[in-house]
Amino acid sequence: MVNEVIKAEGLTKIFNKNLVAVDHVSFNVEDGEIFGFLGPNGAGKTTTIKMLTTVLRPTEGRAFVMGYDVVKQASNVRKVIGVVPQEYTADEDLTGYENIMLCADLYGVPRDVARKRAHELLELVELTRFKDKKVETYSGGMRRRLELACGLINRPKILFLDEPTLGLDVQTRAAIWDYIRRLKEEYNMTIFMTTHYLEEADALCDRIAIIDYGKIVALDSPSNLKNSLGGDIITLTIKENIDVSDIIRSVDNVKYVRYEGGAYRIKAESGEITAPLIIEALRRKGYTVVKLFLSKPTLDEVYLEYTGRRMRDTEESMDSFIRYRITMRRARAR
Amino acid sequence: MSVVGESSPSLLRGLWALTVRELKKWLSDPVMVVMFVLQPLIWMGLLGKSMNINALFSSRGISNMPALIPVPGVYLVPPSQGIIYINSTLLQQIFSNIGSEIVQNTFGVADYFSYMAVGMISMIVVMTSTFSGVSIVWDRRLGFLDKVLSTPVPRASIIFSKILNAFLRAVFQATVILALAYMLGLRLNPNFTLINMLGIYAAIFLVSVGLSSIFLAFSIRATRMERPMQFINLIMMPLMFASNTFFPVDLMPVWLQVIVRINPLTYLTDALRQLTILQLDLIKLLWDFTCLAAFATTLAVIGIVLSWRYLTA
C-alpha cells in the first residue's frame, strides 16, 4: 500500500535553458490529506502541477503519483488523477452535461457508468438545473463547479486543483471551499492544490508548502507554521503615560515587547493565557489597561517570515493576470 | 474506495468525442458557417460572372457597326486588287464561333463560370483544412489542450480529431458550394454520377489530411494566433493565383508553370474539374490522384510526426 500518494524528489523545471521555474523541489503528499502549494503568481506552482499531471516533462528529478513515475508511466498516472486547471477549460459552445460527457469519453469511463455519475456530480455541485444550458451562460462560480465535476468523472484517487478560486468573489470562493470539502469527504480523495490566497490555504489545507522562486521555503500544517513564528501578538494600551515595558517583559511567556504609537506590541506564546497575566502584573503595580487585542499569527505573517515579502504585495500582479484572463474569455466569447 | 484504473481510454472513442466537440462548436455558430460558404460564393459569383470571357469574343462590345464592312481584298479571277464588302452580321458570327472555340480550347469548357466555380471549391477545401489545423492554437491558449493532455486519452486521438474535422468540414462545404454553383449555372458533364462525387470526396480527403496535419504541426508550438494567421494570409493568394484555379497552366510563362506544377491546389482543382465539368480523361485523373496522394502522404507524415513529438515530449 502506498502511503505517499505523491512523492517528488528534486523535481526541477527549467524553461529555455535558463528560466528556472521549479528548483529541486522535494515533498511527499500523504493519503487522504489536502496538500497546498502557497505562493505568488510565477512562484512555480502551476509548473509543478503540470509536471505532476504529466503535461510537462521535468528537466530534472523524479516524481511518483500513486507509485507511478510521471515520465515513464505517464499513462497510468493519467488514469488515476483528476485535474481541475486554472483556466476555465469547459467548452462554452457545449452544455454543462455535454462537457462532462466529453471528459468521460477522454477518460474512457464506460458510457452507462458515466451517465449515472454525471448526474450524480451535477447534483453534488448543484448544476442539475443548468445542465442543458450552454456553458457560455454560466457565471464564474458555476464554471468552476463544472470544472470540479469534470475532474471527478473518473473517480480519481488524487485531485489536482490549480488555483480553484482564482478571480472569484469572496462569497463564491467560500462556496467553492464547501464543495471541495464535500467532494473530498464523499470520495475519500487526496487533494493537491495551489493557491495564492492565504485564507484559502488556511481554511482548506492539512499541510502547506510555501513556495517562492521555485523553492519550498517552509512545509508544515498551517497551525504549526503559525506557531513556528513564536507565538501570538498582544497589543495593549494603558491609561497612564509611563513606560511599562519592563513590567510586561517580566511576565512569563512574553518574548518581545515594543512600544509604538501609544501602544505596546507584545509577542507571546499562548496569548490567551499570557494576556490575563500581563493585565494582572500591571494592575498589581497600579496601572490600568484600557485596551487589549489578542491576535493569532496569520499565514501572511508566516509568509513574510519565510520570504521577506508580504503576500499582499504580490496581489497586484495577480489582479493584472485576472484581467488578462477576463479579456481572453471575452475574446473567446466572440 | 474508488476503483483504480477502471477507465479504459480508447483511440476511437477519444477521436470521436473530440471530433464531435469541434463539429458542435462549428455548427453552434451558423453565422460562421454561412460566412465561410459565402466567401467562395462571392468570389465565384463576382469573378466567374464578371469576367465574362465568352463575351470578349462576341464583338458585342463594338457599337455603331455598319451593315457592310469594307475590307481591302484581292480578287483571284481575274487577279486584281480592290475593296470588298463583308456583311457585319456574318463577321460577328464568325468571331463568335472562333471565340467559343478559343474558350473551349483554353478552359476545356464552353463557359468560364463553370471553370472558375470548381476552382473555388478547391479554394474552400484548402482554407478549411489549414484553419482546422491552426485551431489548435486556441485549444492551447484556453487551457483546453493541457486539460486533454492530462487525461489518458491516446495522443493520436487529439491529432486525428483535427484531421478528421478538417475533412468533414471540407466535404460539407464543397458539397454546398457545388450545389449552389449548379443552381447558378454550372454545367456538369452529362456522365456525372454518384461515383464522381465519391471521387471528389477522395481528392478532398487527400488534400485535407495533408494540409491540416502540416498546419497542425506548425501551430501546435505557436502561443498566439497571429503568426499562423499571418502565414495563411501570406500564402493563400499566391497559392491560388499560382495554380489553375483562375487560368489554365499552359498559357502561363514557363517559370510560373514550374511553381504551378508543384502546387497541390493545381492537382486538386484539375481532379475536381475532371470529375465535374470536363470530359473525364482517366489518365490525367490518375496522374492528379497520384500527385495528391504523394503530397498528402509527405505532408501528413511530417505533420503527424512533428505533432506527435510535441504532444508526447
Side-chain angles (χ1 to χ4, degrees), chain A residues 50 53-55 57 75 78-81 83 85 87-89 91 93-94 98 102-111 117 134 147 154-155 157 188 324 328 332 334, chain B residues 1-10 13-14 17-18 20-21 24-26 28-29 32 138 141-144 146-155 311-313:
Chain A
K50 286 194 171 166
T53 57
T54 76
V55 175
R57 188 188 277 258
S75 56
R78 290 175 194 136
K79 282 182 197 168
V80 296
I81 61 171
V83 183
E87 298 91 355
Y88 295 135
T89 55
D91 204 302
D93 299 317
L94 270 58
E98 286 173 330
L102 172 62
C103 289
D105 287 337
L106 296 178
Y107 279 101
V109 181
R111 276 249 146 202
R117 207 174 279 170
K134 279 192 180 180
E147 299 283 346
N154 63 328
R155 286 278 160 86
K157 282 297 291 167
N188 180 36
Y324 155 77
M328 282 298 289
R332 183 194 195 192
R334 289 181 297 270
Chain B
M1 200 68 178
S2 63
V3 190
V4 176
E6 61 156 15
S7 44
S8 50
S10 86
R13 191 166 163 202
L18 289 169
V20 168
R21 164 194 175 247
K24 272 186 191 161
K25 275 179 85 63
W26 183 54
S28 76
D29 194 355
M32 281 297 282
W138 272 118
R141 225 159 162 208
L142 296 171
F144 181 79
D146 274 355
K147 185 168 90 167
V148 174
L149 285 176
S150 75
T151 72
V153 74
R155 312 291 101 155
L311 289 184
T312 51

XYZ file of all heavy atoms in Angstrom, chain A residues 50 53-55 57 75 78-81 83 85 87-89 91 93-94 98 102-111 117 134 147 154-155 157 188 324 328 332 334, chain B residues 1-10 13-14 17-18 20-21 24-26 28-29 32 138 141-144 146-155 311-313:
651
model
N 1.706 20.903 -13.421
C 1.767 20.374 -14.782
C 2.743 19.200 -14.888
O 2.541 18.295 -15.672
C 2.130 21.483 -15.771
C 0.942 22.401 -15.992
C 1.111 23.304 -17.173
C -0.220 24.019 -17.448
N -0.063 25.133 -18.365
N 0.969 16.215 -13.250
C -0.137 15.693 -14.042
C 0.314 15.285 -15.443
O -0.499 15.147 -16.342
C -1.278 16.731 -14.155
O -0.751 17.939 -14.724
C -1.884 17.049 -12.815
N 1.607 15.145 -15.645
C 2.231 14.615 -16.870
C 2.105 15.522 -18.091
O 2.368 15.099 -19.200
C 1.673 13.227 -17.276
O 0.379 13.406 -17.861
C 1.582 12.292 -16.102
N 1.672 16.769 -17.884
C 1.558 17.663 -19.032
C 2.935 18.215 -19.419
O 3.247 18.370 -20.593
C 0.563 18.808 -18.737
C 0.547 19.809 -19.877
C -0.834 18.246 -18.524
N 7.196 17.754 -18.919
C 8.213 16.782 -18.530
C 9.251 17.490 -17.665
O 9.755 18.545 -18.044
C 8.870 16.261 -19.805
C 9.818 15.125 -19.607
C 10.541 14.849 -20.918
N 9.737 14.015 -21.794
C 9.963 12.701 -21.939
N 10.945 12.122 -21.288
N 9.222 11.992 -22.741
N 0.899 7.234 -18.616
C -0.497 6.883 -18.919
C -1.179 6.264 -17.697
O -2.393 6.414 -17.525
C -0.580 5.977 -20.137
O 0.211 4.833 -19.941
N -2.152 9.237 -15.507
C -3.324 9.947 -16.019
C -4.629 9.250 -15.667
O -5.665 9.896 -15.544
C -3.221 10.085 -17.543
C -2.133 11.061 -17.953
C -1.951 11.090 -19.457
N -0.698 11.760 -19.792
C 0.155 11.309 -20.702
N -0.096 10.211 -21.384
N 1.267 11.967 -20.938
N -4.570 7.936 -15.558
C -5.810 7.212 -15.272
C -6.301 7.416 -13.846
O -7.482 7.278 -13.574
C -5.608 5.711 -15.526
C -5.649 5.360 -16.992
C -5.499 3.857 -17.163
C -5.115 3.524 -18.598
N -4.685 2.131 -18.717
N -5.383 7.692 -12.916
C -5.801 7.740 -11.511
C -5.949 9.167 -10.979
O -6.281 9.357 -9.820
C -4.828 6.966 -10.595
C -4.852 5.491 -10.949
C -3.418 7.518 -10.683
N -5.684 10.161 -11.828
C -5.796 11.526 -11.334
C -6.976 12.267 -11.978
O -7.468 11.884 -13.031
C -4.510 12.349 -11.609
C -4.241 12.431 -13.121
C -3.328 11.756 -10.880
C -3.128 13.393 -13.487
N -7.949 16.399 -12.859
C -7.271 17.684 -12.925
C -8.287 18.805 -13.137
O -9.131 18.719 -14.025
C -6.250 17.717 -14.080
C -5.513 19.036 -14.091
C -5.274 16.559 -13.950
N -7.884 22.517 -13.995
C -6.876 23.532 -14.294
C -7.328 24.928 -13.872
O -8.477 25.153 -13.520
C -6.717 23.443 -15.804
C -7.925 22.768 -16.304
C -8.534 22.004 -15.189
N -7.464 27.611 -15.764
C -8.337 28.233 -16.747
C -9.700 27.553 -16.734
O -9.821 26.415 -16.306
C -7.740 28.083 -18.156
C -6.406 28.745 -18.348
C -5.246 27.809 -18.046
O -5.495 26.666 -17.583
O -4.101 28.217 -18.259
N -10.689 28.273 -17.245
C -11.978 27.620 -17.478
C -11.864 26.890 -18.799
O -11.888 27.513 -19.857
C -13.096 28.647 -17.566
C -13.330 29.403 -16.289
C -13.501 30.770 -16.284
C -13.407 28.728 -15.076
C -13.736 31.469 -15.108
C -13.625 29.412 -13.899
C -13.791 30.784 -13.916
O -14.014 31.460 -12.765
N -11.716 25.590 -18.732
C -11.473 24.856 -19.971
C -12.729 24.243 -20.548
O -12.691 23.668 -21.621
C -10.454 23.739 -19.742
O -10.940 22.930 -18.674
C -9.108 24.305 -19.389
N -15.970 23.773 -22.582
C -16.269 24.377 -23.867
C -17.549 25.196 -23.783
O -18.590 24.684 -23.417
C -16.410 23.281 -24.921
C -16.135 23.831 -26.277
O -16.833 24.781 -26.663
O -15.207 23.348 -26.938
N -19.418 26.433 -26.048
C -20.454 26.146 -27.036
C -21.200 24.855 -26.733
O -22.159 24.508 -27.419
C -19.840 26.052 -28.440
C -19.192 27.359 -28.847
O -19.818 28.400 -28.589
O -18.080 27.346 -29.380
N -20.719 24.145 -25.706
C -21.379 22.914 -25.327
C -22.131 23.144 -24.013
O -21.844 24.084 -23.285
C -20.343 21.796 -25.120
C -19.955 20.927 -26.306
C -19.417 21.765 -27.430
C -18.923 19.911 -25.917
N -22.872 18.049 -21.673
C -22.019 17.603 -22.790
C -20.540 17.694 -22.419
O -19.744 16.837 -22.791
C -22.291 18.461 -24.033
C -23.604 18.157 -24.706
C -23.935 19.142 -25.832
O -23.525 20.316 -25.768
O -24.624 18.713 -26.773
N -17.944 14.696 -22.362
C -16.703 14.766 -23.146
C -15.524 14.293 -22.293
O -14.696 13.489 -22.730
C -16.468 16.192 -23.646
C -15.122 16.496 -24.326
C -14.944 15.665 -25.580
C -15.007 17.979 -24.668
N -15.482 14.767 -21.048
C -14.420 14.319 -20.136
C -14.486 12.809 -19.945
O -13.470 12.121 -19.946
C -14.547 15.005 -18.784
S -14.118 16.737 -18.853
N -15.711 12.298 -19.791
C -15.879 10.853 -19.602
C -15.313 10.092 -20.803
O -14.654 9.066 -20.645
C -17.354 10.523 -19.404
N -15.561 10.628 -21.999
C -15.047 9.982 -23.209
C -13.522 9.994 -23.231
O -12.881 9.040 -23.650
C -15.571 10.693 -24.463
C -17.043 10.406 -24.700
O -17.520 9.375 -24.196
O -17.709 11.209 -25.371
N -12.946 11.106 -22.787
C -11.485 11.210 -22.804
C -10.860 10.237 -21.804
O -9.785 9.703 -22.039
C -11.053 12.646 -22.480
C -11.475 13.707 -23.502
C -11.046 15.086 -23.054
C -10.905 13.399 -24.877
N -11.552 10.041 -20.674
C -11.031 9.105 -19.678
C -11.406 7.671 -20.005
O -10.890 6.737 -19.400
C -11.554 9.453 -18.284
C -10.782 10.565 -17.621
C -11.266 11.855 -17.581
C -9.538 10.304 -17.048
C -10.549 12.869 -16.990
C -8.819 11.317 -16.453
C -9.332 12.606 -16.422
O -8.605 13.600 -15.839
N -12.349 7.505 -20.929
C -12.785 6.160 -21.260
C -13.630 5.526 -20.173
O -13.631 4.312 -19.992
N -14.376 6.361 -19.438
C -15.305 5.812 -18.450
C -16.465 5.179 -19.212
O -17.024 5.818 -20.099
C -15.852 6.930 -17.530
C -16.796 6.348 -16.496
C -14.709 7.671 -16.873
N -16.811 3.926 -18.888
C -17.904 3.272 -19.626
C -19.139 4.175 -19.685
O -19.489 4.821 -18.707
C -18.185 2.019 -18.802
C -16.906 1.744 -18.090
C -16.250 3.062 -17.861
N -19.794 4.201 -20.846
C -20.873 5.144 -21.108
C -21.978 5.138 -20.049
O -22.398 6.192 -19.582
C -21.490 4.856 -22.482
C -20.709 5.515 -23.589
C -21.525 6.625 -24.207
N -20.664 7.722 -24.634
C -21.099 8.971 -24.810
N -22.336 9.276 -24.559
N -20.286 9.905 -25.189
N -22.957 8.779 -13.303
C -22.059 9.571 -12.487
C -22.178 11.068 -12.797
O -22.096 11.903 -11.905
C -20.630 9.099 -12.750
C -19.714 9.325 -11.591
C -18.375 8.720 -11.868
N -18.339 7.286 -11.623
C -17.304 6.528 -11.986
N -16.261 7.064 -12.587
N -17.319 5.239 -11.728
N -26.010 26.101 -22.349
C -24.642 26.245 -22.833
C -23.769 26.894 -21.765
O -24.232 27.773 -21.035
C -24.624 27.111 -24.089
C -24.986 26.334 -25.326
C -24.679 27.160 -26.550
C -25.043 26.386 -27.797
N -24.764 27.155 -28.994
N -16.056 22.582 -13.688
C -14.693 22.050 -13.827
C -14.430 20.989 -12.763
O -13.819 19.958 -13.029
C -13.648 23.159 -13.687
C -13.735 24.262 -14.729
C -13.167 23.864 -16.084
O -12.474 22.842 -16.160
O -13.445 24.580 -17.061
N -13.846 10.446 -13.478
C -13.166 9.139 -13.475
C -12.880 8.654 -12.051
O -12.068 7.768 -11.865
C -11.864 9.212 -14.287
C -10.870 10.183 -13.672
O -11.280 11.179 -13.084
N -9.594 9.899 -13.774
N -13.561 9.243 -11.055
C -13.345 8.875 -9.656
C -11.860 8.821 -9.320
O -11.319 7.774 -8.958
C -13.940 7.481 -9.368
C -15.418 7.433 -9.283
C -15.886 7.874 -7.910
N -17.279 8.279 -7.935
C -18.308 7.426 -7.796
N -18.080 6.164 -7.592
N -19.533 7.876 -7.835
N -8.164 9.052 -7.620
C -7.623 8.868 -6.278
C -7.055 10.193 -5.789
O -7.037 10.479 -4.607
C -6.492 7.819 -6.300
C -6.967 6.404 -6.367
C -7.777 6.005 -5.149
C -6.912 5.912 -3.881
N -7.755 5.831 -2.669
N -13.409 10.405 -0.652
C -12.217 9.973 0.055
C -10.957 10.116 -0.793
O -10.244 9.160 -1.057
C -12.410 8.510 0.502
C -11.215 7.980 1.240
O -10.569 8.725 1.985
N -10.901 6.719 1.021
N -6.262 39.823 -17.540
C -5.878 39.195 -18.802
C -6.789 38.006 -19.105
O -7.239 37.799 -20.215
C -4.420 38.753 -18.714
C -4.029 37.633 -19.619
C -3.811 37.856 -20.978
C -3.882 36.332 -19.127
C -3.458 36.830 -21.811
C -3.531 35.300 -19.957
C -3.323 35.544 -21.298
O -2.989 34.513 -22.118
N -9.300 37.295 -22.212
C -9.259 36.076 -23.005
C -10.648 35.461 -23.118
O -11.041 34.984 -24.166
C -8.331 35.056 -22.347
C -6.873 35.293 -22.554
S -6.420 35.220 -24.276
C -6.613 33.458 -24.573
N -12.837 34.861 -26.455
C -13.313 33.550 -26.820
C -14.817 33.577 -27.047
O -15.349 32.877 -27.895
C -12.968 32.615 -25.669
C -13.318 31.200 -25.901
C -13.227 30.551 -24.556
N -13.207 29.113 -24.682
C -13.368 28.331 -23.650
N -13.532 28.833 -22.459
N -13.350 27.037 -23.798
N -16.363 35.690 -28.407
C -16.568 36.446 -29.636
C -17.272 37.766 -29.359
O -18.440 37.852 -29.149
C -17.367 35.653 -30.659
C -16.575 34.509 -31.252
C -17.424 33.793 -32.264
N -18.575 33.209 -31.611
C -18.571 31.990 -31.111
N -17.514 31.254 -31.203
N -19.645 31.505 -30.528
N -14.163 3.358 -1.356
C -12.884 3.308 -2.080
C -13.179 3.265 -3.573
O -13.942 2.437 -4.059
C -12.149 2.037 -1.629
C -10.658 2.044 -1.884
S -9.811 3.237 -0.844
C -8.135 2.915 -1.353
N -12.608 4.158 -4.280
C -12.875 4.158 -5.708
C -12.002 3.131 -6.407
O -10.967 2.723 -5.904
C -12.626 5.543 -6.295
O -11.271 5.863 -6.142
N -12.461 2.719 -7.559
C -11.733 1.701 -8.307
C -10.619 2.364 -9.120
O -10.868 3.268 -9.895
C -12.689 0.966 -9.267
C -12.003 -0.241 -9.851
C -13.953 0.584 -8.539
N -9.416 1.909 -8.930
C -8.296 2.492 -9.669
C -8.175 1.803 -11.019
O -8.286 0.591 -11.121
C -6.980 2.336 -8.880
C -5.813 2.866 -9.697
C -7.088 3.061 -7.569
N -7.950 2.597 -12.048
C -7.703 2.027 -13.370
C -8.948 1.476 -14.031
O -8.870 0.655 -14.915
N -10.124 1.940 -13.614
C -11.344 1.484 -14.261
C -11.506 2.100 -15.647
O -12.173 1.559 -16.490
C -12.554 1.847 -13.419
C -12.680 3.351 -13.246
C -14.096 3.800 -12.956
O -14.937 2.948 -12.615
O -14.354 4.986 -13.107
N -10.867 3.249 -15.834
C -11.029 3.901 -17.124
C -10.185 3.195 -18.166
O -9.055 2.799 -17.911
C -10.633 5.368 -17.027
O -9.448 5.513 -16.310
N -10.787 3.011 -19.339
C -10.040 2.369 -20.417
C -10.153 3.238 -21.649
O -11.026 3.058 -22.472
C -10.606 0.976 -20.685
O -12.002 1.068 -20.839
N -9.282 4.258 -21.726
C -9.358 5.188 -22.832
C -9.099 4.475 -24.147
O -8.230 3.613 -24.219
C -8.234 6.190 -22.539
C -7.319 5.467 -21.625
C -8.153 4.521 -20.839
N -9.884 4.812 -25.178
C -9.640 4.176 -26.470
C -9.460 5.238 -27.540
O -10.017 6.331 -27.448
C -10.793 3.240 -26.836
O -11.814 3.966 -27.477
N -12.841 6.168 -29.379
C -13.802 6.917 -28.590
C -13.313 8.351 -28.353
O -14.068 9.302 -28.463
C -14.033 6.220 -27.249
C -15.202 6.796 -26.521
C -15.635 5.908 -25.379
N -16.462 6.693 -24.491
C -16.661 6.388 -23.221
N -16.088 5.324 -22.702
N -17.433 7.144 -22.480
N -12.006 8.462 -28.060
C -11.425 9.785 -27.871
C -11.504 10.602 -29.148
O -11.877 11.773 -29.132
N -15.102 11.657 -29.742
C -15.541 12.686 -28.796
C -14.963 14.046 -29.159
O -15.676 15.059 -29.164
C -15.136 12.294 -27.380
N -13.685 14.072 -29.491
C -13.044 15.344 -29.814
C -13.545 15.909 -31.141
O -13.702 17.111 -31.308
C -11.516 15.183 -29.845
C -10.858 14.973 -28.476
C -9.404 14.565 -28.626
C -10.972 16.237 -27.642
N -16.552 15.321 -32.473
C -17.918 15.799 -32.258
C -17.890 17.162 -31.570
O -18.655 18.060 -31.905
C -18.733 14.774 -31.425
C -20.032 15.392 -30.945
C -19.014 13.543 -32.262
N -16.965 17.327 -30.630
C -16.851 18.618 -29.954
C -16.591 19.736 -30.971
O -17.247 20.766 -30.955
C -15.704 18.585 -28.947
C -15.291 19.975 -28.500
C -13.959 20.004 -27.786
N -13.586 21.375 -27.504
C -12.557 22.003 -28.059
N -11.793 21.385 -28.928
N -12.272 23.241 -27.747
N -19.645 20.361 -33.161
C -20.683 21.069 -32.408
C -20.329 22.535 -32.267
O -21.183 23.409 -32.414
C -20.826 20.456 -31.014
C -21.809 19.302 -30.941
C -21.974 18.893 -29.486
C -22.716 17.583 -29.366
N -22.502 16.960 -28.062
N -19.054 22.790 -31.965
C -18.604 24.179 -31.842
C -18.851 24.930 -33.140
O -19.307 26.056 -33.153
C -17.101 24.227 -31.544
C -16.726 24.088 -30.122
C -15.218 24.138 -29.970
C -14.708 25.551 -29.871
N -15.200 26.254 -28.706
N -18.528 24.257 -34.230
C -18.624 24.883 -35.539
C -20.083 25.163 -35.900
O -20.442 26.265 -36.297
C -17.981 23.938 -36.553
C -17.928 24.443 -37.939
C -17.403 25.625 -38.350
C -18.397 23.776 -39.109
N -17.515 25.728 -39.712
C -18.118 24.609 -40.198
C -19.011 22.545 -39.337
C -18.434 24.251 -41.503
C -19.319 22.186 -40.632
C -19.035 23.027 -41.695
N -22.525 25.374 -33.901
C -23.244 26.198 -32.935
C -23.197 27.659 -33.371
O -23.890 28.495 -32.822
C -22.633 26.055 -31.553
O -21.444 26.788 -31.490
N -22.379 27.954 -34.355
C -22.297 29.321 -34.821
C -22.619 29.385 -36.316
O -21.732 29.439 -37.160
C -20.881 29.869 -34.573
C -20.846 31.368 -34.733
O -21.892 31.943 -35.116
O -19.793 31.963 -34.492
N -20.893 31.829 -38.738
C -19.554 31.497 -39.221
C -19.629 30.512 -40.397
O -18.887 30.632 -41.360
C -18.715 30.890 -38.093
C -18.145 31.904 -37.137
S -16.988 33.021 -37.953
C -15.549 31.945 -38.033
N -5.892 27.960 -30.328
C -6.922 28.340 -29.355
C -7.037 27.311 -28.247
O -7.127 27.648 -27.078
C -8.286 28.510 -30.033
C -8.490 29.882 -30.551
C -8.677 30.241 -31.860
C -8.521 31.103 -29.796
N -8.809 31.598 -31.938
C -8.727 32.153 -30.706
C -8.398 31.394 -28.437
C -8.809 33.483 -30.311
C -8.477 32.723 -28.042
C -8.683 33.747 -28.966
N -4.227 27.872 -25.970
C -4.292 29.122 -25.242
C -5.343 29.113 -24.147
O -5.170 29.706 -23.091
C -4.639 30.221 -26.237
C -3.722 31.322 -25.933
C -3.355 32.339 -26.750
N -2.808 33.336 -25.837
C -2.816 34.597 -26.071
N -3.322 35.039 -27.174
N -2.320 35.426 -25.218
N -6.441 28.455 -24.396
C -7.527 28.453 -23.422
C -7.362 27.356 -22.382
O -8.214 27.158 -21.534
C -8.867 28.295 -24.139
C -9.198 29.461 -25.072
C -10.420 29.153 -25.904
C -9.422 30.735 -24.267
N -6.258 26.618 -22.463
C -6.007 25.592 -21.455
C -6.671 24.266 -21.771
O -6.468 23.281 -21.063
N -7.481 24.237 -22.839
C -8.185 23.002 -23.171
C -7.204 21.884 -23.527
O -7.354 20.748 -23.092
C -9.148 23.237 -24.335
C -9.940 22.027 -24.720
C -11.039 21.645 -23.973
C -9.575 21.244 -25.800
C -11.771 20.514 -24.309
C -10.294 20.110 -26.140
C -11.396 19.754 -25.389
N -4.097 21.447 -22.539
C -3.436 20.917 -21.346
C -4.359 19.993 -20.571
O -3.926 18.981 -20.026
C -2.974 22.059 -20.437
C -1.595 22.565 -20.858
O -1.013 21.963 -21.767
O -1.119 23.551 -20.274
N -5.635 20.365 -20.522
C -6.563 19.503 -19.801
C -6.677 18.151 -20.506
O -6.606 17.106 -19.870
C -7.949 20.147 -19.686
C -8.880 19.302 -18.832
C -10.142 20.006 -18.437
C -11.233 19.774 -19.457
N -12.547 20.201 -18.948
N -6.819 18.207 -21.826
C -6.917 16.955 -22.585
C -5.642 16.124 -22.399
O -5.694 14.911 -22.248
C -7.169 17.247 -24.078
C -7.123 15.966 -24.886
C -8.517 17.915 -24.256
N -4.499 16.810 -22.373
C -3.229 16.096 -22.222
C -3.089 15.449 -20.850
O -2.336 14.495 -20.684
C -2.052 17.044 -22.466
C -1.800 17.418 -23.924
C -0.683 18.428 -24.035
C -1.478 16.189 -24.754
N -3.805 15.988 -19.859
C -3.707 15.381 -18.529
C -4.649 14.185 -18.390
O -4.631 13.495 -17.390
C -4.011 16.419 -17.452
O -5.395 16.676 -17.406
N -5.478 13.938 -19.412
C -6.333 12.749 -19.385
C -5.621 11.614 -20.122
O -4.698 11.873 -20.894
C -7.689 12.997 -20.087
O -7.459 13.074 -21.496
C -8.335 14.282 -19.608
N -6.056 10.392 -19.871
C -5.341 9.275 -20.519
C -5.732 9.062 -21.978
O -5.344 8.062 -22.553
C -5.747 8.075 -19.653
C -7.028 8.450 -19.017
C -7.045 9.932 -18.882
N -6.450 9.974 -22.587
C -6.855 9.776 -23.982
C -5.605 9.620 -24.864
O -4.611 10.321 -24.669
C -7.738 10.953 -24.468
C -6.937 12.211 -24.711
C -8.495 10.575 -25.727
N -5.597 8.650 -25.791
C -4.418 8.477 -26.640
C -4.095 9.775 -27.392
O -4.998 10.440 -27.895
C -4.849 7.390 -27.623
C -5.922 6.643 -26.911
C -6.624 7.642 -26.058
N -2.806 10.131 -27.435
C -2.415 11.392 -28.076
C -2.829 11.410 -29.549
O -3.101 12.460 -30.121
C -0.901 11.618 -27.967
C -0.303 11.408 -26.583
C -0.715 12.436 -25.590
N -1.777 11.941 -24.713
C -2.018 12.394 -23.496
N -1.273 13.319 -22.990
N -3.035 11.921 -22.788
N 3.432 16.514 -28.613
C 2.425 16.108 -27.629
C 2.945 15.075 -26.647
O 2.452 14.958 -25.537
C 1.185 15.555 -28.336
C 0.317 16.573 -29.070
C -0.916 15.909 -29.634
C -0.105 17.704 -28.141
N 3.936 14.287 -27.057
C 4.387 13.232 -26.162
C 5.673 13.590 -25.426
O 6.091 12.866 -24.539
C 4.605 11.907 -26.937
O 5.437 12.185 -28.058
C 3.301 11.332 -27.411
N 6.293 14.707 -25.793
C 7.551 15.048 -25.117
C 7.331 16.096 -24.038
O 6.669 17.069 -24.244
C 8.570 15.553 -26.119
